[in-house]
Amino acid sequence: MTIVYFVRHALPNFDNHDDLSRELTAQGLKDRRLVTDFLWDKEIDVILSSPYKRAIDTVKEFADAKRMEIKCIEDFRERKVGESWIQDFSQQAGLQSVTSFEDFSKKQWEDFDFKLPGGESLKEVQSRNINALHQVLETYPNKNVVIGSHGTALSTMIHYYEPSFGYKGFEGMKNLMPWIAVFFFEGIKCLRIEKYNLFS
């Protein structure tokens, strides 16, 4: 059996609008301890991550403590929203129904093909993340794997295996940073997914 521990990153600095370099806040850095404590006794073999700093840094404390390398996988990055920050979308794109991140998220979950100029649809995000996951499963069979991830990207992967997990599921975890979903596989067949609120 292959067990994949997807770690949704800790609290980032939302004032930094650059996806690649957005760092964790002081609270986010503190909350990494929740991830380290959760993973400590799981006999992890491999640590992978999205290339985005907030995802890497969320699993870095654990990696450093275990003296393990973090390997970045480009296709595990978060969904690209569009060409500019979300507050600017309604004016630039002329979309009266998209005036907030919540509106945008709802619209994307209602229509998996919907995207803003320069952005990605949830179908595209799901496809590249699932393809990357399949490559991980083929590369590390019967291993325990940690993957630093993101809220939307991770939600689309859960939805792939659990179609009932949609916008309500995403809404239920979107303010939980960090958050962990554990996938259990035989080959590339997902047997079950367990979800963990580290703050409860």
Side-chain angles (χ1 to χ4, degrees):
M1 180 181 292
T2 307
I3 304 177
V4 181
Y5 297 84
F6 275 103
V7 179
R8 194 266 179 105
H9 61 75
L11 186 67
N13 173 21
F14 290 111
D15 290 332
N16 180 352
H17 294 182
D18 179 66
D19 244 347
L20 183 63
S21 68
R22 188 173 307 133
E23 72 280 13
L24 298 180
T25 62
Q27 185 62 50
L29 291 170
K30 179 181 177 181
D31 288 341
R32 295 187 302 179
R33 171 59 56 175
L34 298 170
V35 174
T36 299
D37 290 346
F38 181 89
L39 295 174
W40 192 255
D41 62 352
K42 302 301 191 292
E43 299 183 357
I44 301 303
D45 299 297
V46 181
I47 304 176
L48 309 173
S49 180
S50 153
Y52 290 176
K53 181 174 174 58
R54 59 193 183 277
I56 296 169
D57 286 353
T58 299
V59 297
K60 188 176 187 304
E61 181 185 78
F62 173 75
D64 288 349
K66 291 289 188 178
R67 298 184 178 182
M68 296 177 69
E69 178 186 0
I70 300 171
K71 180 180 178 181
C72 291
I73 306 294
E74 181 69 24
D75 280 346
F76 282 130
R77 69 190 182 276
E78 180 61 301
R79 174 257 341 260
K80 183 178 181 183
V81 174
E83 295 170 345
S84 57
W85 197 241
I86 191 70
Q87 284 87 350
D88 301 326
F89 282 149
S90 58
Q91 293 181 346
Q92 290 187 9
L95 296 169
Q96 300 302 317
S97 62
V98 179
T99 59
S100 68
F101 182 78
E102 182 178 4
D103 291 337
F104 170 66
S105 294
K106 284 181 179 178
K107 195 166 182 65
Q108 283 213 303
W109 280 99
E110 289 168 359
D111 178 0
F112 250 48
D113 289 311
F114 175 76
K115 59 183 177 181
L116 292 170
E120 291 180 290
S121 69
L122 292 192
K123 181 183 288 186
E124 290 170 328
V125 176
Q126 183 187 70
S127 178
R128 66 171 165 77
N129 275 270
I130 291 295
N131 287 340
L133 175 56
H134 284 173
Q135 290 179 19
V136 167
L137 295 172
E138 292 171 2
T139 303
Y140 305 105
N142 303 311
K143 300 293 186 181
N144 296 332
V145 181
V146 167
I147 301 177
S149 186
H150 304 270
T152 299
L154 177 51
S155 293
T156 65
M157 285 185 278
I158 297 173
H159 177 75
Y160 181 83
Y161 299 107
E162 294 182 2
S164 62
F165 188 96
Y167 178 73
K168 286 186 178 180
F170 168 75
E171 188 177 36
M173 57 76 77
K174 71 179 180 180
N175 293 319
L176 298 175
M177 296 175 274
W179 185 80
I180 292 179
V182 186
F183 293 58
F184 297 82
F185 291 93
E186 287 290 355
I188 63 169
K189 180 182 180 182
C190 185
L191 304 178
R192 69 184 188 278
I193 301 172
E194 297 177 357
K195 308 170 188 74
Y196 292 91
N197 176 358
L198 303 183
F199 296 95
S200 61

